[in-house]
Amino acid sequence: MQTRLPLLIALASTLFMTGLIWFVHVVHYPLFDRVEVGAFRRYHADHTRTTTYVVILPMVAELAASVYLVVRRPDGVEPWMVWAGLACAVVSWGVTFLCSVPAHDRLASGFDGEAHRWLVRTNAIRVASWTAHSAILLLMTSRLIR
């Protein structure tokens, strides 16, 4: 397989996740505390279920393509770029499963201000990692289209 397709998969999935995580961070998560207490459990359950449908494929594609790029680095792309990109993807996955999922598990029983604040604070790490990965992939792409 050529390295262009995995690069395009990584670029598309990462740009998608970057836009989504910015929206979630700036708009969606801050509004959790405005949902009525009696409606929050159902709202949160629906949020969790539908969000999973939206993010699972791009996250898996991003991680798989990032691993592939490390193994089969495109000509003209420096090693630090593929390794930094993979590190960003790993950070996004790590924070998702070590911070976001446990916070959502707590919120599943009802709104919890402390869990909500933890979710928003740690989500900033995912915003940074996906944004950085997008920048790295755009740099890689620019190197290949010169």
Side-chain angles (χ1 to χ4, degrees):
M1 178 188 295
Q2 291 184 334
T3 54
R4 287 184 184 200
L5 180 59
L7 178 60
L8 290 174
I9 291 169
L11 180 63
S13 58
T14 303
L15 288 172
F16 174 83
M17 287 305 302
T18 301
L20 181 62
I21 203 66
W22 273 98
F23 174 80
V24 166
H25 191 69
V26 173
V27 177
H28 190 58
Y29 281 171
L31 295 176
F32 272 24
D33 66 356
R34 297 198 182 147
V35 177
E36 290 185 32
V37 174
F40 186 82
R41 286 180 69 185
R42 179 164 180 188
Y43 172 84
H44 186 267
D46 290 345
H47 156 80
T48 303
R49 179 180 41 78
T50 55
T51 298
T52 300
Y53 298 146
V54 172
V55 301
I56 194 66
L57 182 60
M59 284 184 70
V60 169
E62 175 196 22
L63 183 60
S66 296
V67 168
Y68 186 90
L69 291 171
V70 166
V71 173
R72 302 277 313 246
R73 182 171 45 88
D75 292 334
V77 171
E78 297 172 30
W80 73 264
M81 293 178 187
V82 293
W83 282 104
L86 178 58
C88 289
V90 168
V91 166
S92 297
W93 275 80
V95 173
T96 296
F97 288 99
L98 297 174
C99 300
S100 302
V101 169
H104 280 293
D105 287 347
R106 281 182 58 188
L107 290 166
S109 328
F111 185 78
D112 175 329
E114 182 181 323
H116 178 243
R117 285 185 295 280
W118 171 254
L119 178 65
V120 172
R121 277 195 312 271
T122 59
N123 193 61
I125 300 166
R126 297 192 310 166
V127 169
S129 66
W130 267 308
T131 301
H133 197 188
S134 287
I136 291 163
L137 286 163
L138 288 167
L139 179 60
M140 281 188 221
T141 303
S142 74
R143 297 276 171 99
L144 296 178
I145 60 174
R146 284 185 184 172

